[in-house]
Amino acid sequence: NSVRALARVLAADPGFSDELGTREAPNADASPEGALRVFASAERVRVTKEQAGAITLRFEVEEGYHVTAHKPGVAGLAPFTVEVRGNPGVRAEIAYPQGQVYQGSAAIDGGPMKVYEGAFELPVRLVRTDEAWSGRALMVVRFQACTDEACLAPAALELDVAIDP
């Protein structure tokens, strides 16, 4: 909730962040979690056999970074995914965007790399499976952030979204 409140303050007063000071440019020693911010359209989602749940996730890739696309086009890079873990009774259905061809200065072996940059949204449909509802369902975003100098280790972020039967 505090992150959502801060996002509203920053949207209402873009100059507010200038008062907080400047940050150094990203480097290869940076934490991958600092490269991506995730905002959910709801705090709770109900999923039943009769009706799927829906939520929109907004991703903001920090300036100076890009994250590999769902189909990055280069072997060895972690694909961008959103999945449900901890409960076999529910799964996420997502139509991922293709991503943009990486235009940075770093050379990539194996062909053109597809990435996500800036801000983008993903509509997520949560559906029940034939498995029994058991455990705590967690939405997890897996991604690999890169700069023009290096790709950071793949990372995973657990979202604070309750999924209810």
PDB file of all heavy atoms in Angstrom, residues 127-155:
ATOM      1  N   VAL A 127      -6.888 -18.762 -13.764  1.00  0.00           N
ATOM      2  CA  VAL A 127      -7.910 -19.786 -13.954  1.00  0.00           C
ATOM      3  C   VAL A 127      -7.641 -20.988 -13.054  1.00  0.00           C
ATOM      4  O   VAL A 127      -6.491 -21.298 -12.728  1.00  0.00           O
ATOM      5  CB  VAL A 127      -7.986 -20.250 -15.434  1.00  0.00           C
ATOM      6  CG1 VAL A 127      -8.407 -19.110 -16.335  1.00  0.00           C
ATOM      7  CG2 VAL A 127      -6.667 -20.819 -15.893  1.00  0.00           C
ATOM      8  N   ARG A 128      -8.737 -21.643 -12.663  1.00  0.00           N
ATOM      9  CA  ARG A 128      -8.626 -22.867 -11.877  1.00  0.00           C
ATOM     10  C   ARG A 128      -8.188 -24.006 -12.788  1.00  0.00           C
ATOM     11  O   ARG A 128      -8.541 -24.056 -13.966  1.00  0.00           O
ATOM     12  CB  ARG A 128      -9.972 -23.215 -11.242  1.00  0.00           C
ATOM     13  CG  ARG A 128     -10.427 -22.306 -10.123  1.00  0.00           C
ATOM     14  CD  ARG A 128      -9.576 -22.426  -8.864  1.00  0.00           C
ATOM     15  NE  ARG A 128      -9.486 -23.757  -8.345  1.00  0.00           N
ATOM     16  CZ  ARG A 128     -10.253 -24.246  -7.375  1.00  0.00           C
ATOM     17  NH1 ARG A 128     -11.181 -23.488  -6.816  1.00  0.00           N
ATOM     18  NH2 ARG A 128     -10.107 -25.484  -6.970  1.00  0.00           N
ATOM     19  N   THR A 129      -7.430 -24.912 -12.223  1.00  0.00           N
ATOM     20  CA  THR A 129      -7.037 -26.129 -12.930  1.00  0.00           C
ATOM     21  C   THR A 129      -7.883 -27.279 -12.388  1.00  0.00           C
ATOM     22  O   THR A 129      -8.716 -27.089 -11.506  1.00  0.00           O
ATOM     23  CB  THR A 129      -5.544 -26.438 -12.706  1.00  0.00           C
ATOM     24  OG1 THR A 129      -5.344 -26.785 -11.329  1.00  0.00           O
ATOM     25  CG2 THR A 129      -4.670 -25.247 -13.083  1.00  0.00           C
ATOM     26  N   ASP A 130      -7.644 -28.484 -12.878  1.00  0.00           N
ATOM     27  CA  ASP A 130      -8.349 -29.663 -12.375  1.00  0.00           C
ATOM     28  C   ASP A 130      -7.773 -30.146 -11.046  1.00  0.00           C
ATOM     29  O   ASP A 130      -8.352 -31.013 -10.402  1.00  0.00           O
ATOM     30  CB  ASP A 130      -8.294 -30.792 -13.412  1.00  0.00           C
ATOM     31  CG  ASP A 130      -9.120 -30.458 -14.644  1.00  0.00           C
ATOM     32  OD1 ASP A 130     -10.081 -29.668 -14.521  1.00  0.00           O
ATOM     33  OD2 ASP A 130      -8.800 -30.973 -15.730  1.00  0.00           O
ATOM     34  N   GLU A 131      -6.639 -29.582 -10.653  1.00  0.00           N
ATOM     35  CA  GLU A 131      -6.006 -29.966  -9.383  1.00  0.00           C
ATOM     36  C   GLU A 131      -6.790 -29.363  -8.212  1.00  0.00           C
ATOM     37  O   GLU A 131      -7.468 -28.349  -8.357  1.00  0.00           O
ATOM     38  CB  GLU A 131      -4.563 -29.443  -9.335  1.00  0.00           C
ATOM     39  CG  GLU A 131      -3.677 -29.959 -10.434  1.00  0.00           C
ATOM     40  CD  GLU A 131      -3.278 -31.409 -10.242  1.00  0.00           C
ATOM     41  OE1 GLU A 131      -3.143 -31.846  -9.084  1.00  0.00           O
ATOM     42  OE2 GLU A 131      -3.117 -32.106 -11.252  1.00  0.00           O
ATOM     43  N   ALA A 132      -6.645 -29.987  -7.032  1.00  0.00           N
ATOM     44  CA  ALA A 132      -7.298 -29.465  -5.827  1.00  0.00           C
ATOM     45  C   ALA A 132      -6.624 -28.166  -5.389  1.00  0.00           C
ATOM     46  O   ALA A 132      -5.418 -27.983  -5.575  1.00  0.00           O
ATOM     47  CB  ALA A 132      -7.203 -30.500  -4.702  1.00  0.00           C
ATOM     48  N   TRP A 133      -7.405 -27.268  -4.823  1.00  0.00           N
ATOM     49  CA  TRP A 133      -6.865 -26.016  -4.285  1.00  0.00           C
ATOM     50  C   TRP A 133      -6.143 -26.359  -2.994  1.00  0.00           C
ATOM     51  O   TRP A 133      -6.749 -26.841  -2.038  1.00  0.00           O
ATOM     52  CB  TRP A 133      -8.004 -25.031  -4.012  1.00  0.00           C
ATOM     53  CG  TRP A 133      -7.515 -23.664  -3.652  1.00  0.00           C
ATOM     54  CD1 TRP A 133      -7.083 -23.256  -2.424  1.00  0.00           C
ATOM     55  CD2 TRP A 133      -7.387 -22.553  -4.517  1.00  0.00           C
ATOM     56  NE1 TRP A 133      -6.706 -21.947  -2.481  1.00  0.00           N
ATOM     57  CE2 TRP A 133      -6.880 -21.489  -3.758  1.00  0.00           C
ATOM     58  CE3 TRP A 133      -7.654 -22.342  -5.863  1.00  0.00           C
ATOM     59  CZ2 TRP A 133      -6.633 -20.223  -4.287  1.00  0.00           C
ATOM     60  CZ3 TRP A 133      -7.405 -21.095  -6.397  1.00  0.00           C
ATOM     61  CH2 TRP A 133      -6.905 -20.059  -5.616  1.00  0.00           C
ATOM     62  N   SER A 134      -4.845 -26.151  -2.952  1.00  0.00           N
ATOM     63  CA  SER A 134      -4.081 -26.443  -1.736  1.00  0.00           C
ATOM     64  C   SER A 134      -2.876 -25.527  -1.683  1.00  0.00           C
ATOM     65  O   SER A 134      -2.278 -25.192  -2.699  1.00  0.00           O
ATOM     66  CB  SER A 134      -3.634 -27.907  -1.711  1.00  0.00           C
ATOM     67  OG  SER A 134      -2.730 -28.149  -2.765  1.00  0.00           O
ATOM     68  N   GLY A 135      -2.553 -25.108  -0.486  1.00  0.00           N
ATOM     69  CA  GLY A 135      -1.409 -24.216  -0.321  1.00  0.00           C
ATOM     70  C   GLY A 135      -1.775 -22.771  -0.579  1.00  0.00           C
ATOM     71  O   GLY A 135      -2.912 -22.432  -0.890  1.00  0.00           O
ATOM     72  N   ARG A 136      -0.776 -21.927  -0.441  1.00  0.00           N
ATOM     73  CA  ARG A 136      -0.953 -20.484  -0.664  1.00  0.00           C
ATOM     74  C   ARG A 136      -0.469 -20.134  -2.062  1.00  0.00           C
ATOM     75  O   ARG A 136       0.705 -20.321  -2.383  1.00  0.00           O
ATOM     76  CB  ARG A 136      -0.159 -19.696   0.376  1.00  0.00           C
ATOM     77  CG  ARG A 136      -0.324 -18.210   0.236  1.00  0.00           C
ATOM     78  CD  ARG A 136       0.315 -17.485   1.414  1.00  0.00           C
ATOM     79  NE  ARG A 136       0.241 -16.061   1.180  1.00  0.00           N
ATOM     80  CZ  ARG A 136       1.283 -15.265   1.084  1.00  0.00           C
ATOM     81  NH1 ARG A 136       2.498 -15.747   1.240  1.00  0.00           N
ATOM     82  NH2 ARG A 136       1.133 -13.981   0.862  1.00  0.00           N
ATOM     83  N   ALA A 137      -1.356 -19.629  -2.878  1.00  0.00           N
ATOM     84  CA  ALA A 137      -1.003 -19.259  -4.246  1.00  0.00           C
ATOM     85  C   ALA A 137      -0.252 -17.927  -4.235  1.00  0.00           C
ATOM     86  O   ALA A 137      -0.728 -16.949  -3.673  1.00  0.00           O
ATOM     87  CB  ALA A 137      -2.253 -19.147  -5.103  1.00  0.00           C
ATOM     88  N   LEU A 138       0.921 -17.915  -4.845  1.00  0.00           N
ATOM     89  CA  LEU A 138       1.733 -16.702  -4.950  1.00  0.00           C
ATOM     90  C   LEU A 138       2.003 -16.382  -6.408  1.00  0.00           C
ATOM     91  O   LEU A 138       2.361 -17.272  -7.183  1.00  0.00           O
ATOM     92  CB  LEU A 138       3.094 -16.895  -4.262  1.00  0.00           C
ATOM     93  CG  LEU A 138       3.115 -17.034  -2.758  1.00  0.00           C
ATOM     94  CD1 LEU A 138       4.510 -17.425  -2.290  1.00  0.00           C
ATOM     95  CD2 LEU A 138       2.697 -15.729  -2.114  1.00  0.00           C
ATOM     96  N   MET A 139       1.848 -15.114  -6.775  1.00  0.00           N
ATOM     97  CA  MET A 139       2.243 -14.687  -8.118  1.00  0.00           C
ATOM     98  C   MET A 139       3.714 -14.300  -8.051  1.00  0.00           C
ATOM     99  O   MET A 139       4.134 -13.555  -7.169  1.00  0.00           O
ATOM    100  CB  MET A 139       1.402 -13.504  -8.577  1.00  0.00           C
ATOM    101  CG  MET A 139      -0.037 -13.896  -8.849  1.00  0.00           C
ATOM    102  SD  MET A 139      -1.017 -12.538  -9.510  1.00  0.00           S
ATOM    103  CE  MET A 139      -0.285 -12.376 -11.114  1.00  0.00           C
ATOM    104  N   VAL A 140       4.477 -14.829  -9.013  1.00  0.00           N
ATOM    105  CA  VAL A 140       5.915 -14.593  -9.047  1.00  0.00           C
ATOM    106  C   VAL A 140       6.311 -14.087 -10.427  1.00  0.00           C
ATOM    107  O   VAL A 140       5.921 -14.664 -11.442  1.00  0.00           O
ATOM    108  CB  VAL A 140       6.694 -15.889  -8.716  1.00  0.00           C
ATOM    109  CG1 VAL A 140       8.200 -15.661  -8.796  1.00  0.00           C
ATOM    110  CG2 VAL A 140       6.308 -16.409  -7.335  1.00  0.00           C
ATOM    111  N   VAL A 141       7.086 -13.021 -10.446  1.00  0.00           N
ATOM    112  CA  VAL A 141       7.643 -12.478 -11.682  1.00  0.00           C
ATOM    113  C   VAL A 141       9.106 -12.884 -11.736  1.00  0.00           C
ATOM    114  O   VAL A 141       9.872 -12.614 -10.809  1.00  0.00           O
ATOM    115  CB  VAL A 141       7.539 -10.932 -11.711  1.00  0.00           C
ATOM    116  CG1 VAL A 141       8.191 -10.381 -12.973  1.00  0.00           C
ATOM    117  CG2 VAL A 141       6.099 -10.487 -11.599  1.00  0.00           C
ATOM    118  N   ARG A 142       9.478 -13.563 -12.820  1.00  0.00           N
ATOM    119  CA  ARG A 142      10.885 -13.935 -13.031  1.00  0.00           C
ATOM    120  C   ARG A 142      11.390 -13.108 -14.205  1.00  0.00           C
ATOM    121  O   ARG A 142      10.711 -12.974 -15.221  1.00  0.00           O
ATOM    122  CB  ARG A 142      11.026 -15.421 -13.318  1.00  0.00           C
ATOM    123  CG  ARG A 142      10.669 -16.279 -12.110  1.00  0.00           C
ATOM    124  CD  ARG A 142      11.024 -17.743 -12.273  1.00  0.00           C
ATOM    125  NE  ARG A 142      12.305 -18.032 -12.862  1.00  0.00           N
ATOM    126  CZ  ARG A 142      13.497 -17.963 -12.235  1.00  0.00           C
ATOM    127  NH1 ARG A 142      13.557 -17.585 -10.999  1.00  0.00           N
ATOM    128  NH2 ARG A 142      14.603 -18.266 -12.861  1.00  0.00           N
ATOM    129  N   PHE A 143      12.604 -12.558 -14.059  1.00  0.00           N
ATOM    130  CA  PHE A 143      13.150 -11.694 -15.101  1.00  0.00           C
ATOM    131  C   PHE A 143      14.667 -11.651 -15.018  1.00  0.00           C
ATOM    132  O   PHE A 143      15.256 -12.052 -14.014  1.00  0.00           O
ATOM    133  CB  PHE A 143      12.585 -10.268 -14.962  1.00  0.00           C
ATOM    134  CG  PHE A 143      13.027  -9.564 -13.700  1.00  0.00           C
ATOM    135  CD1 PHE A 143      14.087  -8.667 -13.724  1.00  0.00           C
ATOM    136  CD2 PHE A 143      12.397  -9.802 -12.498  1.00  0.00           C
ATOM    137  CE1 PHE A 143      14.508  -8.029 -12.568  1.00  0.00           C
ATOM    138  CE2 PHE A 143      12.802  -9.172 -11.336  1.00  0.00           C
ATOM    139  CZ  PHE A 143      13.861  -8.277 -11.372  1.00  0.00           C
ATOM    140  N   GLN A 144      15.268 -11.168 -16.082  1.00  0.00           N
ATOM    141  CA  GLN A 144      16.707 -10.929 -16.091  1.00  0.00           C
ATOM    142  C   GLN A 144      16.921  -9.507 -16.581  1.00  0.00           C
ATOM    143  O   GLN A 144      16.548  -9.158 -17.703  1.00  0.00           O
ATOM    144  CB  GLN A 144      17.443 -11.913 -16.997  1.00  0.00           C
ATOM    145  CG  GLN A 144      18.949 -11.733 -16.925  1.00  0.00           C
ATOM    146  CD  GLN A 144      19.711 -12.889 -17.541  1.00  0.00           C
ATOM    147  OE1 GLN A 144      19.156 -13.715 -18.251  1.00  0.00           O
ATOM    148  NE2 GLN A 144      20.995 -12.948 -17.261  1.00  0.00           N
ATOM    149  N   ALA A 145      17.486  -8.691 -15.721  1.00  0.00           N
ATOM    150  CA  ALA A 145      17.756  -7.295 -16.053  1.00  0.00           C
ATOM    151  C   ALA A 145      19.172  -7.164 -16.603  1.00  0.00           C
ATOM    152  O   ALA A 145      20.082  -7.873 -16.182  1.00  0.00           O
ATOM    153  CB  ALA A 145      17.597  -6.423 -14.813  1.00  0.00           C
ATOM    154  N   CYS A 146      19.325  -6.254 -17.556  1.00  0.00           N
ATOM    155  CA  CYS A 146      20.632  -6.006 -18.159  1.00  0.00           C
ATOM    156  C   CYS A 146      20.849  -4.499 -18.302  1.00  0.00           C
ATOM    157  O   CYS A 146      19.890  -3.733 -18.377  1.00  0.00           O
ATOM    158  CB  CYS A 146      20.715  -6.626 -19.553  1.00  0.00           C
ATOM    159  SG  CYS A 146      20.436  -8.412 -19.621  1.00  0.00           S
ATOM    160  N   THR A 147      22.100  -4.110 -18.346  1.00  0.00           N
ATOM    161  CA  THR A 147      22.491  -2.765 -18.725  1.00  0.00           C
ATOM    162  C   THR A 147      23.229  -2.893 -20.047  1.00  0.00           C
ATOM    163  O   THR A 147      23.367  -3.995 -20.583  1.00  0.00           O
ATOM    164  CB  THR A 147      23.422  -2.126 -17.678  1.00  0.00           C
ATOM    165  OG1 THR A 147      24.662  -2.836 -17.668  1.00  0.00           O
ATOM    166  CG2 THR A 147      22.801  -2.152 -16.282  1.00  0.00           C
ATOM    167  N   ASP A 148      23.749  -1.808 -20.576  1.00  0.00           N
ATOM    168  CA  ASP A 148      24.549  -1.895 -21.797  1.00  0.00           C
ATOM    169  C   ASP A 148      25.884  -2.577 -21.541  1.00  0.00           C
ATOM    170  O   ASP A 148      26.543  -3.016 -22.475  1.00  0.00           O
ATOM    171  CB  ASP A 148      24.789  -0.505 -22.392  1.00  0.00           C
ATOM    172  CG  ASP A 148      23.569   0.028 -23.119  1.00  0.00           C
ATOM    173  OD1 ASP A 148      22.663  -0.772 -23.440  1.00  0.00           O
ATOM    174  OD2 ASP A 148      23.521   1.240 -23.365  1.00  0.00           O
ATOM    175  N   GLU A 149      26.273  -2.682 -20.271  1.00  0.00           N
ATOM    176  CA  GLU A 149      27.553  -3.304 -19.938  1.00  0.00           C
ATOM    177  C   GLU A 149      27.456  -4.787 -19.602  1.00  0.00           C
ATOM    178  O   GLU A 149      28.372  -5.546 -19.886  1.00  0.00           O
ATOM    179  CB  GLU A 149      28.211  -2.581 -18.733  1.00  0.00           C
ATOM    180  CG  GLU A 149      28.740  -1.207 -19.050  1.00  0.00           C
ATOM    181  CD  GLU A 149      27.631  -0.152 -19.084  1.00  0.00           C
ATOM    182  OE1 GLU A 149      26.713  -0.239 -18.244  1.00  0.00           O
ATOM    183  OE2 GLU A 149      27.666   0.719 -19.954  1.00  0.00           O
ATOM    184  N   ALA A 150      26.366  -5.189 -18.952  1.00  0.00           N
ATOM    185  CA  ALA A 150      26.284  -6.575 -18.489  1.00  0.00           C
ATOM    186  C   ALA A 150      24.849  -6.958 -18.164  1.00  0.00           C
ATOM    187  O   ALA A 150      24.009  -6.104 -17.888  1.00  0.00           O
ATOM    188  CB  ALA A 150      27.135  -6.757 -17.238  1.00  0.00           C
ATOM    189  N   CYS A 151      24.600  -8.266 -18.185  1.00  0.00           N
ATOM    190  CA  CYS A 151      23.319  -8.795 -17.711  1.00  0.00           C
ATOM    191  C   CYS A 151      23.512  -9.262 -16.271  1.00  0.00           C
ATOM    192  O   CYS A 151      24.509  -9.913 -15.945  1.00  0.00           O
ATOM    193  CB  CYS A 151      22.854  -9.950 -18.587  1.00  0.00           C
ATOM    194  SG  CYS A 151      22.200  -9.394 -20.178  1.00  0.00           S
ATOM    195  N   LEU A 152      22.561  -8.909 -15.430  1.00  0.00           N
ATOM    196  CA  LEU A 152      22.602  -9.316 -14.035  1.00  0.00           C
ATOM    197  C   LEU A 152      22.036 -10.727 -13.907  1.00  0.00           C
ATOM    198  O   LEU A 152      21.458 -11.260 -14.850  1.00  0.00           O
ATOM    199  CB  LEU A 152      21.787  -8.334 -13.195  1.00  0.00           C
ATOM    200  CG  LEU A 152      22.167  -6.857 -13.364  1.00  0.00           C
ATOM    201  CD1 LEU A 152      21.237  -5.979 -12.558  1.00  0.00           C
ATOM    202  CD2 LEU A 152      23.613  -6.611 -12.983  1.00  0.00           C
ATOM    203  N   ALA A 153      22.207 -11.305 -12.756  1.00  0.00           N
ATOM    204  CA  ALA A 153      21.682 -12.653 -12.512  1.00  0.00           C
ATOM    205  C   ALA A 153      20.155 -12.625 -12.596  1.00  0.00           C
ATOM    206  O   ALA A 153      19.532 -11.624 -12.230  1.00  0.00           O
ATOM    207  CB  ALA A 153      22.119 -13.126 -11.131  1.00  0.00           C
ATOM    208  N   PRO A 154      19.545 -13.703 -13.077  1.00  0.00           N
ATOM    209  CA  PRO A 154      18.078 -13.759 -13.083  1.00  0.00           C
ATOM    210  C   PRO A 154      17.542 -13.574 -11.665  1.00  0.00           C
ATOM    211  O   PRO A 154      18.183 -13.956 -10.680  1.00  0.00           O
ATOM    212  CB  PRO A 154      17.781 -15.166 -13.599  1.00  0.00           C
ATOM    213  CG  PRO A 154      18.989 -15.537 -14.398  1.00  0.00           C
ATOM    214  CD  PRO A 154      20.142 -14.894 -13.681  1.00  0.00           C
ATOM    215  N   ALA A 155      16.364 -12.967 -11.561  1.00  0.00           N
ATOM    216  CA  ALA A 155      15.764 -12.677 -10.257  1.00  0.00           C
ATOM    217  C   ALA A 155      14.291 -13.047 -10.276  1.00  0.00           C
ATOM    218  O   ALA A 155      13.682 -13.214 -11.336  1.00  0.00           O
ATOM    219  CB  ALA A 155      15.938 -11.196  -9.937  1.00  0.00           C
TER     220      ALA A 155
END
